[in-house]
Amino acid sequence: MNNAFRHTIKYASALLVIMSLSLVLAGCGASGWKYDPITDVNDLEGRRVGVNLAWESDYYLDGRKDMELVRYDTTADMIMALKYDKIDAIALDVDSVKLLLSLSEGIERVEPAFAEVGSIMYFSGDNEALKEEFNQYLTEFKRTDEYQDLLKRIDEYDGTEYIGSDIPLTGKGKVIRVAADPDNFPRAFLYPGDDILTGYDVEILKRFANDHDYQIEFSYSNYDDGIIGLKSGIYDIMTGYVTDVFNEDAIREGLRPSDAMFEFPMYFVQKNQRDIKSETSEL
C-alpha cells in the first residue's frame, strides 16, 4: 500500500485481560443451560443484560422496561457473569464485540445492532472557533476517497488486525494540545515499542492538523484526566473513544462536542453453547 502499514496485534487491552482472568477460574457453566436466543433486539422479554457501569450501553439502555439491566465495574466480571448464566446477554460496542469474538467461542453477536453511536472529539470551552474549524474540515473530508477508505478499514477490522494509514505530522504553525488515552485500540493506541499514536480517531485528527498547518502535542491521558484538563485549559482537544452519547452532559460541563466523525453500532452478545471457551482453553 502507498504510504501505509499493516500490523496484526493481539492487543493487551481490557478484553484480553478478561481472557487471562477467566482461564484461572475452574468449573463449568450451569448444567441447566439451554439455547434460547434473543429474537428481537427491541423486546428482550425481561432478560438480564450486563453493561459496564457508565459506559455507552449503560447510558443508552437505562430505562428500558423490557430488560433487567445489571451493571458491572469491569468487563471481566461481566463476561464471567455471562459464562455462569448470571445474566442472559451483554451489551458492548462493535469493536469490543469483534475483539471478544476473535478470542473465544461459545458466544455470538445478536443482529441487528440495538443502537448506533457517533465517534466525536471534545474541545475545551475556549476553543469554539477551533471546533467549528474542525467540523468544517470534517464535512469536506467526508466527501473524499480517503474517508471512504477509512470507513472500509473500520468495517474490515476483525478484532485482531488493524490496517492503519501512516500519516506523519507536517504542521509548523500553532500547537494544539491533545489528550488521548493510548489504551483505546483501535481508535487511539500505541503499537508495542512505538511512541507514535495512531488509530481511527487519531487518523482524522492528524489529517485535520496537517491541512491547517497545526502542530499536535499529544498527552497520554485517561478519560477523567482528559475532562479535567479540558475544563482547566490544559488541553484543547480530547480524542480516542469519545462518543456523542454523553453530549448533553459534556455541554453542561462547558465542553464543546464535535460533529460525529463516523458512527459505530452497539450489539447484544449472548451464549450459543453451554460453555464459553477461549482460543486455547475453556473459560
Side-chain angles (χ1 to χ4, degrees):
M1 286 179 289
N2 182 26
N3 197 30
F5 56 92
R6 178 187 294 258
H7 290 269
T8 300
I9 294 179
K10 291 300 178 72
Y11 202 75
S13 65
L15 286 177
L16 294 179
V17 174
I18 291 165
M19 301 303 162
S20 300
L21 291 173
S22 301
L23 287 172
V24 303
L25 299 177
C28 298
S31 59
W33 182 86
K34 66 177 183 177
Y35 185 52
D36 182 22
I38 295 169
T39 58
D40 184 353
V41 297
N42 296 309
D43 184 3
L44 268 62
E45 303 176 312
R47 297 180 199 240
R48 299 158 297 171
V49 176
V51 296
N52 290 101
L53 179 65
W55 283 28
E56 284 79 6
S57 54
D58 182 6
Y59 203 90
Y60 195 93
L61 295 173
D62 184 44
R64 273 186 53 164
K65 305 300 183 183
D66 63 317
M67 67 176 68
E68 178 186 347
L69 207 59
V70 185
R71 296 175 171 90
Y72 293 90
D73 290 329
T74 70
T75 310
D77 291 339
M78 187 167 65
I79 297 297
M80 293 309 296
L82 180 64
K83 170 182 169 58
Y84 289 105
D85 303 323
K86 304 299 183 183
I87 53 178
D88 303 299
I90 62 177
L92 287 167
D93 64 276
V94 64
D95 287 338
S96 297
V97 171
K98 286 180 177 180
L99 181 55
L100 183 58
L101 291 175
S102 75
L103 296 170
S104 59
E105 63 179 64
I107 56 174
E108 63 185 3
R109 187 171 78 181
V110 179
E111 298 287 352
F114 69 82
E116 196 169 74
V117 177
S119 183
I120 66 167
M121 297 186 191
Y122 286 155
F123 290 73
S124 71
D126 295 331
N127 277 296
E128 173 68 21
L130 183 63
K131 184 204 76 172
E132 291 302 323
E133 197 171 43
F134 175 78
N135 284 345
Q136 180 60 41
Y137 171 80
L138 185 61
T139 298
E140 297 168 358
F141 179 60
K142 286 182 176 181
R143 302 189 184 108
T144 66
D145 292 340
E146 287 83 2
Y147 181 70
Q148 294 306 313
D149 174 67
L150 174 61
L151 293 182
K152 181 174 181 290
R153 287 186 280 115
I154 291 173
D155 184 63
E156 290 176 346
Y157 168 64
D158 62 0
T160 59
E161 185 175 64
Y162 165 78
I163 302 173
S165 182
D166 186 12
I167 305 173
L169 291 170
T170 61
K172 303 296 184 182
K174 178 182 176 182
V175 174
I176 52 177
R177 301 159 301 171
V178 178
D181 187 339
D183 293 328
N184 282 323
F185 178 77
R187 301 178 187 277
F189 68 98
L190 299 170
Y191 284 114
D194 199 344
D195 61 355
I196 300 175
L197 196 71
T198 188
Y200 301 153
D201 298 353
V202 175
E203 184 173 322
I204 294 179
L205 179 59
K206 287 182 175 181
R207 291 181 182 276
F208 163 70
N210 288 347
D211 186 78
H212 286 70
D213 197 36
Y214 289 132
Q215 300 181 66
I216 295 181
E217 180 183 287
F218 283 112
S219 293
Y220 299 142
S221 175
N222 58 44
Y223 190 88
D224 291 335
D225 175 74
I227 296 296
I228 293 171
L230 286 175
K231 293 173 66 176
S232 63
I234 297 174
Y235 307 130
D236 301 307
I237 301 174
M238 175 178 168
T239 191
Y241 221 109
V242 182
T243 67
D244 60 6
V245 172
F246 308 106
N247 272 4
E248 291 184 5
D249 293 338
I251 292 170
R252 280 195 294 269
E253 291 294 318
L255 306 182
R256 303 184 184 279
S258 75
D259 293 342
M261 296 178 286
F262 50 86
E263 286 74 34
F264 61 90
M266 307 283 292
Y267 288 98
F268 295 118
V269 173
Q270 63 187 0
K271 289 169 63 172
N272 60 4
Q273 64 184 39
R274 175 181 165 185
D275 295 312
I276 303 175
K277 299 181 180 180
S278 74
E279 294 178 319
T280 59
S281 177
E282 181 180 314
L283 293 178

PDB file of all heavy atoms in Angstrom, residues 101-134:
ATOM      1  N   LEU A 101     -15.127 -11.780  20.169  1.00  0.00           N
ATOM      2  CA  LEU A 101     -15.434 -12.920  19.305  1.00  0.00           C
ATOM      3  C   LEU A 101     -14.177 -13.528  18.700  1.00  0.00           C
ATOM      4  O   LEU A 101     -14.120 -14.744  18.452  1.00  0.00           O
ATOM      5  CB  LEU A 101     -16.389 -12.491  18.192  1.00  0.00           C
ATOM      6  CG  LEU A 101     -17.817 -12.133  18.614  1.00  0.00           C
ATOM      7  CD1 LEU A 101     -18.612 -11.620  17.418  1.00  0.00           C
ATOM      8  CD2 LEU A 101     -18.527 -13.325  19.240  1.00  0.00           C
ATOM      9  N   SER A 102     -13.165 -12.704  18.451  1.00  0.00           N
ATOM     10  CA  SER A 102     -11.932 -13.220  17.854  1.00  0.00           C
ATOM     11  C   SER A 102     -11.144 -14.079  18.830  1.00  0.00           C
ATOM     12  O   SER A 102     -10.277 -14.851  18.412  1.00  0.00           O
ATOM     13  CB  SER A 102     -11.056 -12.052  17.369  1.00  0.00           C
ATOM     14  OG  SER A 102     -10.423 -11.398  18.450  1.00  0.00           O
ATOM     15  N   LEU A 103     -11.423 -13.955  20.116  1.00  0.00           N
ATOM     16  CA  LEU A 103     -10.648 -14.647  21.141  1.00  0.00           C
ATOM     17  C   LEU A 103     -11.396 -15.804  21.790  1.00  0.00           C
ATOM     18  O   LEU A 103     -10.859 -16.458  22.677  1.00  0.00           O
ATOM     19  CB  LEU A 103     -10.247 -13.655  22.242  1.00  0.00           C
ATOM     20  CG  LEU A 103      -9.307 -12.535  21.811  1.00  0.00           C
ATOM     21  CD1 LEU A 103      -9.178 -11.505  22.913  1.00  0.00           C
ATOM     22  CD2 LEU A 103      -7.953 -13.095  21.433  1.00  0.00           C
ATOM     23  N   SER A 104     -12.614 -16.049  21.390  1.00  0.00           N
ATOM     24  CA  SER A 104     -13.404 -17.040  22.111  1.00  0.00           C
ATOM     25  C   SER A 104     -14.425 -17.697  21.203  1.00  0.00           C
ATOM     26  O   SER A 104     -14.708 -17.225  20.100  1.00  0.00           O
ATOM     27  CB  SER A 104     -14.113 -16.382  23.297  1.00  0.00           C
ATOM     28  OG  SER A 104     -14.948 -15.333  22.847  1.00  0.00           O
ATOM     29  N   GLU A 105     -14.994 -18.790  21.688  1.00  0.00           N
ATOM     30  CA  GLU A 105     -16.121 -19.434  21.035  1.00  0.00           C
ATOM     31  C   GLU A 105     -17.175 -19.717  22.090  1.00  0.00           C
ATOM     32  O   GLU A 105     -16.895 -19.721  23.289  1.00  0.00           O
ATOM     33  CB  GLU A 105     -15.690 -20.729  20.353  1.00  0.00           C
ATOM     34  CG  GLU A 105     -15.155 -21.790  21.300  1.00  0.00           C
ATOM     35  CD  GLU A 105     -14.777 -23.059  20.570  1.00  0.00           C
ATOM     36  OE1 GLU A 105     -13.856 -23.003  19.735  1.00  0.00           O
ATOM     37  OE2 GLU A 105     -15.403 -24.091  20.856  1.00  0.00           O
ATOM     38  N   GLY A 106     -18.396 -19.930  21.630  1.00  0.00           N
ATOM     39  CA  GLY A 106     -19.493 -20.148  22.559  1.00  0.00           C
ATOM     40  C   GLY A 106     -20.354 -18.926  22.759  1.00  0.00           C
ATOM     41  O   GLY A 106     -21.296 -18.947  23.550  1.00  0.00           O
ATOM     42  N   ILE A 107     -20.028 -17.842  22.042  1.00  0.00           N
ATOM     43  CA  ILE A 107     -20.836 -16.623  22.097  1.00  0.00           C
ATOM     44  C   ILE A 107     -21.107 -16.142  20.685  1.00  0.00           C
ATOM     45  O   ILE A 107     -20.391 -16.503  19.747  1.00  0.00           O
ATOM     46  CB  ILE A 107     -20.143 -15.503  22.910  1.00  0.00           C
ATOM     47  CG1 ILE A 107     -18.753 -15.201  22.331  1.00  0.00           C
ATOM     48  CG2 ILE A 107     -20.069 -15.847  24.377  1.00  0.00           C
ATOM     49  CD1 ILE A 107     -18.074 -14.023  22.990  1.00  0.00           C
ATOM     50  N   GLU A 108     -22.120 -15.327  20.546  1.00  0.00           N
ATOM     51  CA  GLU A 108     -22.477 -14.801  19.237  1.00  0.00           C
ATOM     52  C   GLU A 108     -23.024 -13.390  19.378  1.00  0.00           C
ATOM     53  O   GLU A 108     -23.562 -13.002  20.418  1.00  0.00           O
ATOM     54  CB  GLU A 108     -23.522 -15.689  18.566  1.00  0.00           C
ATOM     55  CG  GLU A 108     -24.847 -15.764  19.314  1.00  0.00           C
ATOM     56  CD  GLU A 108     -25.820 -16.752  18.693  1.00  0.00           C
ATOM     57  OE1 GLU A 108     -25.446 -17.418  17.720  1.00  0.00           O
ATOM     58  OE2 GLU A 108     -26.965 -16.851  19.195  1.00  0.00           O
ATOM     59  N   ARG A 109     -22.875 -12.640  18.312  1.00  0.00           N
ATOM     60  CA  ARG A 109     -23.422 -11.286  18.223  1.00  0.00           C
ATOM     61  C   ARG A 109     -24.871 -11.377  17.779  1.00  0.00           C
ATOM     62  O   ARG A 109     -25.202 -12.114  16.844  1.00  0.00           O
ATOM     63  CB  ARG A 109     -22.594 -10.483  17.222  1.00  0.00           C
ATOM     64  CG  ARG A 109     -22.954  -9.028  17.152  1.00  0.00           C
ATOM     65  CD  ARG A 109     -21.934  -8.281  16.314  1.00  0.00           C
ATOM     66  NE  ARG A 109     -22.125  -8.451  14.886  1.00  0.00           N
ATOM     67  CZ  ARG A 109     -21.335  -7.910  13.958  1.00  0.00           C
ATOM     68  NH1 ARG A 109     -20.282  -7.205  14.319  1.00  0.00           N
ATOM     69  NH2 ARG A 109     -21.579  -8.088  12.677  1.00  0.00           N
ATOM     70  N   VAL A 110     -25.722 -10.637  18.451  1.00  0.00           N
ATOM     71  CA  VAL A 110     -27.148 -10.630  18.098  1.00  0.00           C
ATOM     72  C   VAL A 110     -27.391  -9.552  17.053  1.00  0.00           C
ATOM     73  O   VAL A 110     -27.061  -8.384  17.263  1.00  0.00           O
ATOM     74  CB  VAL A 110     -28.022 -10.375  19.335  1.00  0.00           C
ATOM     75  CG1 VAL A 110     -29.501 -10.348  18.945  1.00  0.00           C
ATOM     76  CG2 VAL A 110     -27.779 -11.437  20.411  1.00  0.00           C
ATOM     77  N   GLU A 111     -27.954  -9.944  15.935  1.00  0.00           N
ATOM     78  CA  GLU A 111     -28.275  -8.992  14.877  1.00  0.00           C
ATOM     79  C   GLU A 111     -29.751  -8.613  14.938  1.00  0.00           C
ATOM     80  O   GLU A 111     -30.589  -9.428  15.306  1.00  0.00           O
ATOM     81  CB  GLU A 111     -27.975  -9.605  13.505  1.00  0.00           C
ATOM     82  CG  GLU A 111     -26.508  -9.970  13.279  1.00  0.00           C
ATOM     83  CD  GLU A 111     -25.609  -8.766  13.080  1.00  0.00           C
ATOM     84  OE1 GLU A 111     -26.135  -7.640  12.962  1.00  0.00           O
ATOM     85  OE2 GLU A 111     -24.391  -8.960  13.044  1.00  0.00           O
ATOM     86  N   PRO A 112     -30.093  -7.376  14.584  1.00  0.00           N
ATOM     87  CA  PRO A 112     -29.201  -6.273  14.212  1.00  0.00           C
ATOM     88  C   PRO A 112     -28.668  -5.544  15.449  1.00  0.00           C
ATOM     89  O   PRO A 112     -28.953  -5.939  16.588  1.00  0.00           O
ATOM     90  CB  PRO A 112     -30.129  -5.368  13.400  1.00  0.00           C
ATOM     91  CG  PRO A 112     -31.462  -5.545  14.075  1.00  0.00           C
ATOM     92  CD  PRO A 112     -31.517  -6.995  14.470  1.00  0.00           C
ATOM     93  N   ALA A 113     -27.906  -4.486  15.218  1.00  0.00           N
ATOM     94  CA  ALA A 113     -27.456  -3.645  16.319  1.00  0.00           C
ATOM     95  C   ALA A 113     -28.656  -3.024  17.022  1.00  0.00           C
ATOM     96  O   ALA A 113     -29.676  -2.757  16.401  1.00  0.00           O
ATOM     97  CB  ALA A 113     -26.531  -2.548  15.789  1.00  0.00           C
ATOM     98  N   PHE A 114     -28.517  -2.780  18.327  1.00  0.00           N
ATOM     99  CA  PHE A 114     -29.614  -2.146  19.059  1.00  0.00           C
ATOM    100  C   PHE A 114     -29.480  -0.629  19.099  1.00  0.00           C
ATOM    101  O   PHE A 114     -30.416   0.076  19.479  1.00  0.00           O
ATOM    102  CB  PHE A 114     -29.722  -2.709  20.481  1.00  0.00           C
ATOM    103  CG  PHE A 114     -28.582  -2.350  21.406  1.00  0.00           C
ATOM    104  CD1 PHE A 114     -28.546  -1.127  22.058  1.00  0.00           C
ATOM    105  CD2 PHE A 114     -27.560  -3.257  21.647  1.00  0.00           C
ATOM    106  CE1 PHE A 114     -27.512  -0.800  22.912  1.00  0.00           C
ATOM    107  CE2 PHE A 114     -26.521  -2.943  22.508  1.00  0.00           C
ATOM    108  CZ  PHE A 114     -26.491  -1.709  23.137  1.00  0.00           C
ATOM    109  N   ALA A 115     -28.311  -0.108  18.675  1.00  0.00           N
ATOM    110  CA  ALA A 115     -28.114   1.347  18.669  1.00  0.00           C
ATOM    111  C   ALA A 115     -26.930   1.676  17.776  1.00  0.00           C
ATOM    112  O   ALA A 115     -26.131   0.802  17.413  1.00  0.00           O
ATOM    113  CB  ALA A 115     -27.864   1.870  20.079  1.00  0.00           C
ATOM    114  N   GLU A 116     -26.827   2.939  17.421  1.00  0.00           N
ATOM    115  CA  GLU A 116     -25.678   3.452  16.675  1.00  0.00           C
ATOM    116  C   GLU A 116     -25.198   4.713  17.371  1.00  0.00           C
ATOM    117  O   GLU A 116     -25.993   5.586  17.701  1.00  0.00           O
ATOM    118  CB  GLU A 116     -26.066   3.740  15.228  1.00  0.00           C
ATOM    119  CG  GLU A 116     -24.873   3.908  14.313  1.00  0.00           C
ATOM    120  CD  GLU A 116     -25.263   3.924  12.847  1.00  0.00           C
ATOM    121  OE1 GLU A 116     -25.826   4.940  12.404  1.00  0.00           O
ATOM    122  OE2 GLU A 116     -25.022   2.918  12.152  1.00  0.00           O
ATOM    123  N   VAL A 117     -23.889   4.787  17.586  1.00  0.00           N
ATOM    124  CA  VAL A 117     -23.289   5.851  18.386  1.00  0.00           C
ATOM    125  C   VAL A 117     -22.265   6.596  17.552  1.00  0.00           C
ATOM    126  O   VAL A 117     -21.543   5.988  16.753  1.00  0.00           O
ATOM    127  CB  VAL A 117     -22.628   5.255  19.650  1.00  0.00           C
ATOM    128  CG1 VAL A 117     -21.928   6.335  20.453  1.00  0.00           C
ATOM    129  CG2 VAL A 117     -23.657   4.539  20.506  1.00  0.00           C
ATOM    130  N   GLY A 118     -22.182   7.898  17.713  1.00  0.00           N
ATOM    131  CA  GLY A 118     -21.234   8.710  16.965  1.00  0.00           C
ATOM    132  C   GLY A 118     -19.905   8.848  17.683  1.00  0.00           C
ATOM    133  O   GLY A 118     -19.864   9.092  18.892  1.00  0.00           O
ATOM    134  N   SER A 119     -18.806   8.690  16.942  1.00  0.00           N
ATOM    135  CA  SER A 119     -17.466   8.904  17.487  1.00  0.00           C
ATOM    136  C   SER A 119     -17.088  10.368  17.273  1.00  0.00           C
ATOM    137  O   SER A 119     -17.087  10.861  16.140  1.00  0.00           O
ATOM    138  CB  SER A 119     -16.467   7.992  16.784  1.00  0.00           C
ATOM    139  OG  SER A 119     -15.177   8.124  17.348  1.00  0.00           O
ATOM    140  N   ILE A 120     -16.759  11.067  18.349  1.00  0.00           N
ATOM    141  CA  ILE A 120     -16.545  12.515  18.283  1.00  0.00           C
ATOM    142  C   ILE A 120     -15.244  12.893  18.987  1.00  0.00           C
ATOM    143  O   ILE A 120     -14.499  12.030  19.444  1.00  0.00           O
ATOM    144  CB  ILE A 120     -17.720  13.272  18.938  1.00  0.00           C
ATOM    145  CG1 ILE A 120     -17.758  12.984  20.454  1.00  0.00           C
ATOM    146  CG2 ILE A 120     -19.044  12.901  18.288  1.00  0.00           C
ATOM    147  CD1 ILE A 120     -18.673  13.901  21.227  1.00  0.00           C
ATOM    148  N   MET A 121     -15.005  14.202  19.069  1.00  0.00           N
ATOM    149  CA  MET A 121     -13.948  14.745  19.907  1.00  0.00           C
ATOM    150  C   MET A 121     -14.557  15.822  20.795  1.00  0.00           C
ATOM    151  O   MET A 121     -15.540  16.463  20.430  1.00  0.00           O
ATOM    152  CB  MET A 121     -12.816  15.338  19.069  1.00  0.00           C
ATOM    153  CG  MET A 121     -12.102  14.327  18.197  1.00  0.00           C
ATOM    154  SD  MET A 121     -10.676  15.049  17.354  1.00  0.00           S
ATOM    155  CE  MET A 121     -10.293  13.731  16.201  1.00  0.00           C
ATOM    156  N   TYR A 122     -13.970  15.998  21.961  1.00  0.00           N
ATOM    157  CA  TYR A 122     -14.338  17.111  22.834  1.00  0.00           C
ATOM    158  C   TYR A 122     -13.318  18.235  22.662  1.00  0.00           C
ATOM    159  O   TYR A 122     -12.114  17.982  22.618  1.00  0.00           O
ATOM    160  CB  TYR A 122     -14.336  16.695  24.302  1.00  0.00           C
ATOM    161  CG  TYR A 122     -15.492  15.836  24.742  1.00  0.00           C
ATOM    162  CD1 TYR A 122     -15.356  14.991  25.844  1.00  0.00           C
ATOM    163  CD2 TYR A 122     -16.721  15.871  24.087  1.00  0.00           C
ATOM    164  CE1 TYR A 122     -16.411  14.206  26.270  1.00  0.00           C
ATOM    165  CE2 TYR A 122     -17.784  15.093  24.505  1.00  0.00           C
ATOM    166  CZ  TYR A 122     -17.618  14.255  25.602  1.00  0.00           C
ATOM    167  OH  TYR A 122     -18.655  13.477  26.032  1.00  0.00           O
ATOM    168  N   PHE A 123     -13.832  19.460  22.601  1.00  0.00           N
ATOM    169  CA  PHE A 123     -12.995  20.654  22.591  1.00  0.00           C
ATOM    170  C   PHE A 123     -13.237  21.423  23.880  1.00  0.00           C
ATOM    171  O   PHE A 123     -14.348  21.398  24.430  1.00  0.00           O
ATOM    172  CB  PHE A 123     -13.322  21.530  21.380  1.00  0.00           C
ATOM    173  CG  PHE A 123     -12.891  20.948  20.064  1.00  0.00           C
ATOM    174  CD1 PHE A 123     -13.568  19.868  19.511  1.00  0.00           C
ATOM    175  CD2 PHE A 123     -11.808  21.471  19.384  1.00  0.00           C
ATOM    176  CE1 PHE A 123     -13.166  19.322  18.297  1.00  0.00           C
ATOM    177  CE2 PHE A 123     -11.397  20.938  18.165  1.00  0.00           C
ATOM    178  CZ  PHE A 123     -12.081  19.854  17.628  1.00  0.00           C
ATOM    179  N   SER A 124     -12.234  22.120  24.351  1.00  0.00           N
ATOM    180  CA  SER A 124     -12.399  22.914  25.569  1.00  0.00           C
ATOM    181  C   SER A 124     -13.350  24.078  25.311  1.00  0.00           C
ATOM    182  O   SER A 124     -13.596  24.469  24.162  1.00  0.00           O
ATOM    183  CB  SER A 124     -11.050  23.446  26.048  1.00  0.00           C
ATOM    184  OG  SER A 124     -10.567  24.459  25.177  1.00  0.00           O
ATOM    185  N   GLY A 125     -13.877  24.627  26.385  1.00  0.00           N
ATOM    186  CA  GLY A 125     -14.837  25.720  26.257  1.00  0.00           C
ATOM    187  C   GLY A 125     -14.279  26.952  25.580  1.00  0.00           C
ATOM    188  O   GLY A 125     -15.037  27.761  25.025  1.00  0.00           O
ATOM    189  N   ASP A 126     -12.964  27.118  25.593  1.00  0.00           N
ATOM    190  CA  ASP A 126     -12.331  28.286  24.975  1.00  0.00           C
ATOM    191  C   ASP A 126     -12.021  28.068  23.496  1.00  0.00           C
ATOM    192  O   ASP A 126     -11.439  28.952  22.859  1.00  0.00           O
ATOM    193  CB  ASP A 126     -11.020  28.623  25.702  1.00  0.00           C
ATOM    194  CG  ASP A 126     -11.253  29.069  27.136  1.00  0.00           C
ATOM    195  OD1 ASP A 126     -12.334  29.636  27.404  1.00  0.00           O
ATOM    196  OD2 ASP A 126     -10.374  28.822  27.974  1.00  0.00           O
ATOM    197  N   ASN A 127     -12.409  26.917  22.981  1.00  0.00           N
ATOM    198  CA  ASN A 127     -11.998  26.570  21.616  1.00  0.00           C
ATOM    199  C   ASN A 127     -13.188  26.361  20.683  1.00  0.00           C
ATOM    200  O   ASN A 127     -13.180  25.448  19.852  1.00  0.00           O
ATOM    201  CB  ASN A 127     -11.116  25.326  21.635  1.00  0.00           C
ATOM    202  CG  ASN A 127      -9.668  25.655  21.948  1.00  0.00           C
ATOM    203  OD1 ASN A 127      -9.003  26.342  21.188  1.00  0.00           O
ATOM    204  ND2 ASN A 127      -9.194  25.179  23.086  1.00  0.00           N
ATOM    205  N   GLU A 128     -14.188  27.206  20.791  1.00  0.00           N
ATOM    206  CA  GLU A 128     -15.338  27.131  19.887  1.00  0.00           C
ATOM    207  C   GLU A 128     -14.899  27.312  18.431  1.00  0.00           C
ATOM    208  O   GLU A 128     -15.360  26.587  17.539  1.00  0.00           O
ATOM    209  CB  GLU A 128     -16.365  28.201  20.257  1.00  0.00           C
ATOM    210  CG  GLU A 128     -17.535  28.333  19.277  1.00  0.00           C
ATOM    211  CD  GLU A 128     -18.462  27.133  19.281  1.00  0.00           C
ATOM    212  OE1 GLU A 128     -18.461  26.386  20.278  1.00  0.00           O
ATOM    213  OE2 GLU A 128     -19.179  26.940  18.279  1.00  0.00           O
ATOM    214  N   ALA A 129     -14.002  28.261  18.195  1.00  0.00           N
ATOM    215  CA  ALA A 129     -13.557  28.514  16.823  1.00  0.00           C
ATOM    216  C   ALA A 129     -12.805  27.306  16.265  1.00  0.00           C
ATOM    217  O   ALA A 129     -12.982  26.931  15.098  1.00  0.00           O
ATOM    218  CB  ALA A 129     -12.667  29.758  16.773  1.00  0.00           C
ATOM    219  N   LEU A 130     -11.972  26.679  17.089  1.00  0.00           N
ATOM    220  CA  LEU A 130     -11.233  25.502  16.647  1.00  0.00           C
ATOM    221  C   LEU A 130     -12.199  24.348  16.368  1.00  0.00           C
ATOM    222  O   LEU A 130     -12.023  23.611  15.387  1.00  0.00           O
ATOM    223  CB  LEU A 130     -10.217  25.092  17.711  1.00  0.00           C
ATOM    224  CG  LEU A 130      -9.304  23.920  17.360  1.00  0.00           C
ATOM    225  CD1 LEU A 130      -8.418  24.254  16.160  1.00  0.00           C
ATOM    226  CD2 LEU A 130      -8.440  23.525  18.575  1.00  0.00           C
ATOM    227  N   LYS A 131     -13.212  24.206  17.202  1.00  0.00           N
ATOM    228  CA  LYS A 131     -14.208  23.153  16.971  1.00  0.00           C
ATOM    229  C   LYS A 131     -14.929  23.374  15.649  1.00  0.00           C
ATOM    230  O   LYS A 131     -15.116  22.429  14.864  1.00  0.00           O
ATOM    231  CB  LYS A 131     -15.224  23.121  18.109  1.00  0.00           C
ATOM    232  CG  LYS A 131     -16.239  21.986  17.991  1.00  0.00           C
ATOM    233  CD  LYS A 131     -17.543  22.278  18.722  1.00  0.00           C
ATOM    234  CE  LYS A 131     -18.400  23.263  17.941  1.00  0.00           C
ATOM    235  NZ  LYS A 131     -19.747  23.422  18.505  1.00  0.00           N
ATOM    236  N   GLU A 132     -15.339  24.604  15.379  1.00  0.00           N
ATOM    237  CA  GLU A 132     -16.033  24.893  14.116  1.00  0.00           C
ATOM    238  C   GLU A 132     -15.113  24.674  12.922  1.00  0.00           C
ATOM    239  O   GLU A 132     -15.552  24.218  11.853  1.00  0.00           O
ATOM    240  CB  GLU A 132     -16.558  26.331  14.133  1.00  0.00           C
ATOM    241  CG  GLU A 132     -17.700  26.559  15.115  1.00  0.00           C
ATOM    242  CD  GLU A 132     -18.886  25.643  14.824  1.00  0.00           C
ATOM    243  OE1 GLU A 132     -19.178  25.383  13.641  1.00  0.00           O
ATOM    244  OE2 GLU A 132     -19.522  25.175  15.798  1.00  0.00           O
ATOM    245  N   GLU A 133     -13.847  24.992  13.096  1.00  0.00           N
ATOM    246  CA  GLU A 133     -12.866  24.757  12.034  1.00  0.00           C
ATOM    247  C   GLU A 133     -12.750  23.251  11.758  1.00  0.00           C
ATOM    248  O   GLU A 133     -12.694  22.818  10.600  1.00  0.00           O
ATOM    249  CB  GLU A 133     -11.515  25.330  12.474  1.00  0.00           C
ATOM    250  CG  GLU A 133     -10.515  25.538  11.358  1.00  0.00           C
ATOM    251  CD  GLU A 133      -9.301  26.295  11.854  1.00  0.00           C
ATOM    252  OE1 GLU A 133      -8.800  25.985  12.964  1.00  0.00           O
ATOM    253  OE2 GLU A 133      -8.838  27.212  11.132  1.00  0.00           O
ATOM    254  N   PHE A 134     -12.719  22.461  12.835  1.00  0.00           N
ATOM    255  CA  PHE A 134     -12.650  21.011  12.675  1.00  0.00           C
ATOM    256  C   PHE A 134     -13.914  20.469  12.019  1.00  0.00           C
ATOM    257  O   PHE A 134     -13.838  19.621  11.114  1.00  0.00           O
ATOM    258  CB  PHE A 134     -12.439  20.332  14.031  1.00  0.00           C
ATOM    259  CG  PHE A 134     -12.467  18.832  13.958  1.00  0.00           C
ATOM    260  CD1 PHE A 134     -11.365  18.120  13.504  1.00  0.00           C
ATOM    261  CD2 PHE A 134     -13.605  18.128  14.323  1.00  0.00           C
ATOM    262  CE1 PHE A 134     -11.390  16.743  13.425  1.00  0.00           C
ATOM    263  CE2 PHE A 134     -13.646  16.743  14.244  1.00  0.00           C
ATOM    264  CZ  PHE A 134     -12.534  16.049  13.793  1.00  0.00           C
TER     265      PHE A 134
END
